[in-house]
Every structure is written in C-alpha cells, then in structure tokens.
Amino acid sequence: KRSGATTRVKYVCTQPPSQGEIEVTTVSPERYTMAMHGSGAKGHTIAMRGEGRWLGADCGDVKPRRPPAAK
C-alpha cells in the first residue's frame, strides 16, 4: 500500500520461514528511511531500521555488483 511518500509491504517467506511488514518513506529525492518488523520460524522477533541517501553518480573504482549466474 502506498500513501503519500510511504510504502507499506507485508511479506511472507518460506526459506527461512518468516513474516512481517516493511515501511519505506521517501524523505527527499536523495534520501529514504525504512523500518521492518516481523517474526521468524521459532517465534523470534525481527526488527530493523535503516536509512539511505544518494552519494553521487560517480562511485570511483567501485563497480556495480553482477547478478549471480543462472543455475
């Protein structure tokens, strides 16, 4: 669901089993915040907060990651 600058996602994973919600808010074109909470297979609580910001288009010697090879 999206409301204004905030997107809320419910997730369910099978490997390893877990479920919960993630909320991502776009603060500006260069910055976002996120919060996640859920539960794992044995009732473990999962919680995480983070934020990101644009540093620039030139990453110097750091190259983009390549996707894993197809199986």
Side-chain angles (χ1 to χ4, degrees), residues 11 35-39 44-49:
Y11 70 90
M36 177 215 153
H37 67 275
S39 59
H44 296 111
T45 299
I46 302 167
M48 184 182 343
R49 289 188 177 273

Side-chain angles (χ1 to χ4, degrees), residues 15-69:
Q15 280 298 351
S18 63
Q19 63 183 15
E21 297 183 13
I22 301 170
E23 181 177 289
V24 179
T25 301
T26 302
V27 178
S28 73
E30 294 85 23
R31 187 168 165 255
Y32 71 90
T33 61
M34 64 79 69
M36 177 215 153
H37 67 275
S39 59
K42 297 180 181 178
H44 296 111
T45 299
I46 302 167
M48 184 182 343
R49 289 188 177 273
E51 63 181 67
R53 65 184 174 99
W54 177 259
L55 297 177
D58 184 357
C59 295
D61 292 337
V62 178
K63 302 300 178 203
R65 291 187 71 191
R66 293 180 186 236

